[in-house]
Amino acid sequence: WWSWRFEEPVSYHLLQMSSFHNHSWVHLSSGWLGELQTHRWNSISGTFIYLYPWSRGNFSNRELVDLERFLRVNSIEIQEFYTDYFMSEDPFDLQMATGCELNSGKGFLGFLHVAIQGSDFLSFQNETWLSSPEGVREAQKVCELNNLNQAYTYRLHRLLSDTCPRFTLGLLDAGKAHLQRQVKPEAWLSSGPSPGPGRLLLVCHVSGFYPKPVWVMWMGGEEEQLGTQRGDILPNADGTWYLRATLDVAAGEAAGLACRVKHSSLGGQDLVLHWAPPSALGWILLAVIVALALLTGLGFWFRKRW
Ligand SMILES: *[C@@H]1O[C@H](CO)[C@@H](O)[C@H](O)[C@H]1NC(C)=O
Ligand SMILES: *[C@@H]1O[C@H](CO)[C@@H](O)[C@H](O)[C@H]1NC(C)=O
């Protein structure tokens, strides 16, 4: 059953958002190793905030300070570019994704994409600036100018094809203990809003697991219930994941069904939760309470008699 495990693609990217709303700028940036945020940007001091002790990877302070300077200059250039090309637009939104991704066979590929007012504007690949296919005239102009600026283009190319891959590999190594940790899921069952008369929606919640790959299925004995609907895997605040799997069944057929969870942290010992109609659970609870009451009563009675 290990075969469904997959390795997350190895990548690092910076997300930058520059907004000009109501006559003032806001710059937000964050750095992501795959789906894990490792850096924030302090736009007041123009420096990185390291979210983990290993967020510096294996880079020296000097190399990190160089990167910070590059990003500071970059946000100043965005403001100049804005005044040159988008003189009067308020609000104005620019989003940028920059980074590199390991492609099997091809090594790391760098990328840079810019969107303006929510639409693709331009991108940078293989040392070339390209305006987006539906590109506005401004995008073509900016690309032409940038392609002429060889020093800048070369600097960016080095950043994406050399610095970024080195940083990514260094991060993966420094953060190994965190990234390779195994956290076991918890699971519980509930019933969702009834899908129709005489029908039940069985919900299996699986939460708190890491890493992300997980297998969840409603089962009838050994038989997978193909009607099982998997939700999206959602992030918990602590960096673990949450998933729910639902099954729409006739009320009479729910008994005997179970939710089965496979995860690498469980070492082959699947979690299995059996569906028990709430009424049965109620009877069991009631029986336990009555038994406890009787025992307590008996206890008092014996003590008195003694
Ligand atoms: C812009 O600023 C004005 C005056 O300061 C304020 O009344 C308005 O709500 C602001 N608009 C937004 C979208 O923040
Ligand atoms: C950091 O680690 C990477 C990958 O192991 C390596 O290529 C690089 O030389 C190391 N040092 C720096 C400063 O990048």
Side-chain angles (χ1 to χ4, degrees):
W1 58 275
W2 291 96
S3 59
W4 48 265
R5 283 195 68 195
F6 58 90
E7 294 296 322
E8 280 183 37
V10 171
S11 68
Y12 185 83
H13 65 278
L14 283 172
L15 292 181
Q16 284 176 268
M17 220 187 68
S18 292
S19 312
F20 187 70
H21 284 202
N22 240 356
H23 313 293
S24 68
W25 282 99
V26 175
H27 298 283
L28 292 175
S29 296
S30 51
W32 300 77
L33 178 63
E35 293 182 291
L36 177 70
Q37 186 179 359
T38 49
H39 300 87
R40 264 207 313 267
W41 180 250
N42 181 340
S43 58
I44 296 172
S45 57
T47 53
F48 287 122
I49 298 166
Y50 298 93
L51 299 183
Y52 294 97
W54 48 269
S55 291
R56 292 164 184 271
N58 62 351
F59 272 29
S60 65
N61 253 345
R62 222 192 99 207
E63 212 158 359
L64 292 168
V65 166
D66 267 357
L67 274 176
E68 291 174 338
R69 187 180 309 129
F70 185 82
L71 289 176
R72 280 198 299 270
V73 169
N74 200 282
S75 34
I76 295 168
E77 276 169 0
I78 287 172
Q79 295 188 17
E80 284 174 358
F81 154 81
Y82 166 79
T83 37
D84 288 351
Y85 290 93
F86 290 86
M87 212 50 163
S88 54
E89 293 190 30
D90 184 347
F92 171 82
D93 286 296
L94 182 145
Q95 290 153 290
M96 183 150 71
T98 331
C100 55
E101 179 167 22
L102 187 59
N103 272 43
S104 49
K106 294 195 198 139
F108 274 96
L109 287 182
F111 58 84
L112 183 156
H113 300 283
V114 177
I116 285 181
Q117 308 295 42
S119 304
D120 285 340
F121 187 70
L122 58 76
S123 64
F124 178 78
Q125 249 165 16
N126 298 328
E127 301 187 59
T128 314
W129 294 86
L130 294 167
S131 63
S132 70
E134 65 281 11
V136 285
R137 207 160 39 84
E138 285 80 3
Q140 288 164 7
K141 237 187 290 175
V142 172
C143 288
E144 274 168 34
L145 283 177
N146 281 351
N147 281 323
L148 288 176
N149 187 345
Q150 285 184 350
Y152 177 61
T153 298
Y154 183 70
R155 172 89 205 270
L156 190 60
H157 173 69
R158 295 290 301 167
L159 205 61
L160 296 182
S161 65
D162 175 66
T163 314
C164 180
R166 272 192 300 118
F167 187 60
T168 307
L169 292 174
L171 261 189
L172 279 177
D173 192 50
K176 199 161 33 182
H178 183 82
L179 298 166
Q180 294 180 358
R181 76 195 192 281
Q182 293 285 335
V183 187
K184 287 185 186 173
E186 282 179 39
W188 67 95
L189 306 179
S190 70
S191 54
S194 171
R199 301 200 66 84
L200 278 178
L201 187 68
L202 312 186
V203 187
C204 179
H205 307 259
V206 185
S207 186
F209 55 91
Y210 185 92
K212 195 174 181 184
V214 69
W215 185 96
V216 182
M217 190 60 86
W218 278 98
M219 310 285 291
E222 287 302 305
E223 203 176 320
E224 295 179 8
Q225 300 297 298
L226 298 177
T228 301
Q229 299 273 332
R230 248 176 90 117
D232 291 327
I233 300 187
L234 305 173
N236 282 324
D238 63 359
T240 62
W241 298 97
Y242 169 87
L243 173 68
R244 47 179 254 160
T246 57
L247 184 65
D248 172 355
V249 288
E253 288 165 15
L257 294 178
C259 174
R260 184 171 210 119
V261 182
K262 296 171 190 279
H263 187 260
S264 52
S265 65
L266 297 170
Q269 302 251 298
D270 301 355
L271 279 181
V272 180
L273 281 86
H274 293 274
W275 178 260
S279 54
L281 190 66
W283 282 116
I284 292 168
L285 272 181
L286 188 65
V288 169
I289 290 166
V290 169
L292 278 177
L294 276 178
L295 280 176
T296 317
L298 273 180
F300 271 117
W301 185 73
F302 267 119
R303 213 184 278 166
K304 264 194 182 158
R305 296 261 311 188
W306 212 244

